[in-house]
Amino acid sequence: MRILFVAMPDSLHTARWISQIADQGWEIYLFPAYIGPIRPEIKNATIFGSLPRGKNSMNSRIKFVWWTILPFWLDYLVTKISRIPSSAFARKSLAIIIRRIRPDIIHSLEIQHAGYLTLAAKEKLSDTFPAWIVTNWGSDIYLFGRLPTHKPKIQAILSGCDYYSCECQRDIELAKQLGFQGEILPV
């Protein structure tokens, strides 16, 4: 089994999700939603788009794929020069990685960073996209689902994913109202 997480690399929640399955013998990959330090608790994973920082992240149970840091830096430069946020290179990089490793499951943890990035990759890959789990964190849809700039993206994510995971019953109803029709995982 190959699982690709798209998530915040510096989040304890990301580390906890990965640690739940890290010893199953599966191939686990992490594509960060942005450049950040890797949590030292993450183990048995291949990490894209990041560099080891400090001796804790030089854990021999972590493998870094170095070339994937470049798209994040290019996005950073484009953002600085144009003063308009860019993630174009990271989106293309994620699509390339999905084609290359062919995961069985993609699990985006959090919607506004990881979910938006995963949605862009899905739009590029269309029919060849694997099963997609979306996990809602905090007010990802409770607050952002009400905002006109976010609502269409959230609707596209929820109508495009296969599985949905969240922290409370309230968000299940909100997800259905926003177009989710897949399988709901236990709260």
Side-chain angles (χ1 to χ4, degrees):
M1 169 87 60
R2 283 189 188 111
I3 301 174
L4 172 62
F5 286 91
V6 180
M8 298 176 183
D10 52 356
S11 169
L12 181 59
H13 302 302
T14 298
R16 287 180 176 164
W17 269 97
I18 292 173
S19 71
Q20 292 181 74
I21 59 169
D23 295 322
Q24 296 296 314
W26 298 336
E27 293 177 46
I28 299 171
Y29 300 89
L30 172 60
F31 188 91
Y34 51 74
I35 294 176
I38 302 298
R39 291 293 302 199
E41 299 89 348
I42 295 175
K43 61 181 180 174
N44 296 342
T46 299
I47 313 247
F48 299 103
S50 192
L51 295 172
R53 299 197 178 153
K55 58 184 175 186
N56 283 344
S57 63
M58 290 302 291
N59 182 335
S60 63
R61 297 170 78 182
I62 296 289
K63 177 182 172 190
F64 288 92
V65 179
W66 303 102
W67 72 267
T68 56
I69 191 89
L70 181 61
F72 287 95
W73 285 111
L74 291 171
D75 283 333
Y76 174 78
L77 289 172
V78 169
T79 298
K80 284 295 183 189
I81 292 167
S82 69
R83 296 188 179 161
I84 299 170
S86 173
S87 63
F89 292 103
R91 292 191 310 256
K92 288 177 186 174
S93 181
L94 178 58
I96 289 167
I97 288 165
I98 292 168
R99 271 193 219 110
R100 189 171 287 171
I101 67 171
R102 298 174 52 187
D104 299 298
I105 298 170
I106 295 179
H107 191 167
S108 53
L109 299 173
E110 184 270 344
I111 293 179
Q112 280 67 54
H113 296 92
Y116 292 177
L117 190 60
T118 307
L119 176 64
K122 180 176 175 124
E123 290 169 350
K124 286 187 181 306
L125 299 173
S126 62
D127 293 342
T128 60
F129 205 74
W132 182 15
I133 302 170
V134 171
T135 294
N136 179 75
W137 286 359
S139 58
D140 281 351
I141 63 174
Y142 179 72
L143 170 63
F144 289 95
R146 300 175 189 199
L147 302 176
T149 56
H150 289 272
K151 187 174 182 176
K153 291 179 201 173
I154 293 169
Q155 288 173 317
I157 288 168
L158 292 171
S159 63
C161 70
D162 303 292
Y163 302 92
Y164 176 68
S165 169
C166 61
E167 302 165 345
C168 66
Q169 198 66 35
R170 172 204 67 197
D171 289 339
I172 291 172
E173 296 309 314
L174 290 173
K176 288 177 182 176
Q177 291 169 18
L178 290 166
F180 180 72
Q181 296 178 351
E183 187 174 331
I184 295 170
L185 301 176
V187 173

